[in-house]
Amino acid sequence: MNLSTRMFEEELANSDKIVQNGREVYKWAVTTVPKGMQSVMKNASIPLNEVDWFVPHSANLRMIESICERSGFPIERTLYSLVDYGNTSSATIPLSLDKGVTEKKLRNGDKVLLYGFGGGLAHAGLLIKWTL
């Protein structure tokens, strides 16, 4: 059985297998995440430039670079784990935080913006104060 469906105005063929339209997911992420980051910061009443570290889901480096570029957040203050571990799905943010601790980047009192996105095109962000 070959069914079809639509995603972002594009017809997708369904061959009864799990598929991903990578190009459209990429476009969605690099558009949605920077807007979501701004929303988190607005709700916290803190400008983005006061964030010490940005920790996004580590889907791929090109995506992270584009999100940083579009949001105006420096890639140098972004923690990611994919270079060492690849895309580990829901573990990317905790792995990135661990890497930040191990490399002595995260310091007590740092403001850290966590941002996850993935399955079902769900996304959420959270601003925390690092106190461990």
Side-chain angles (χ1 to χ4, degrees), residues 81-97:
S81 59
L82 67 97
V83 173
D84 296 319
Y85 304 108
N87 181 347
T88 55
S89 191
S90 62
T92 62
I93 291 174
L95 284 169
S96 299
L97 289 170

Side-chain angles (χ1 to χ4, degrees), residues 30-107:
V30 301
T31 301
T32 302
V33 174
K35 288 177 186 175
M37 293 167 68
Q38 289 301 326
S39 179
V40 170
M41 301 316 299
K42 182 179 179 186
N43 287 335
S45 300
I46 296 172
L48 186 60
N49 65 0
E50 287 187 19
V51 170
D52 297 296
W53 295 101
F54 172 47
V55 186
H57 164 52
S58 292
N60 70 60
L61 188 54
R62 191 176 71 170
M63 188 179 288
I64 293 170
E65 290 169 339
S66 185
I67 289 168
C68 286
E69 183 179 314
R70 289 175 183 228
S71 68
F73 196 86
I75 190 77
E76 301 79 23
R77 293 192 353 241
T78 301
L79 301 175
Y80 49 88
S81 59
L82 67 97
V83 173
D84 296 319
Y85 304 108
N87 181 347
T88 55
S89 191
S90 62
T92 62
I93 291 174
L95 284 169
S96 299
L97 289 170
D98 180 69
K99 193 171 173 178
V101 169
T102 302
E103 295 175 356
K104 300 191 185 316
K105 291 180 177 179
L106 279 172
R107 298 179 191 271

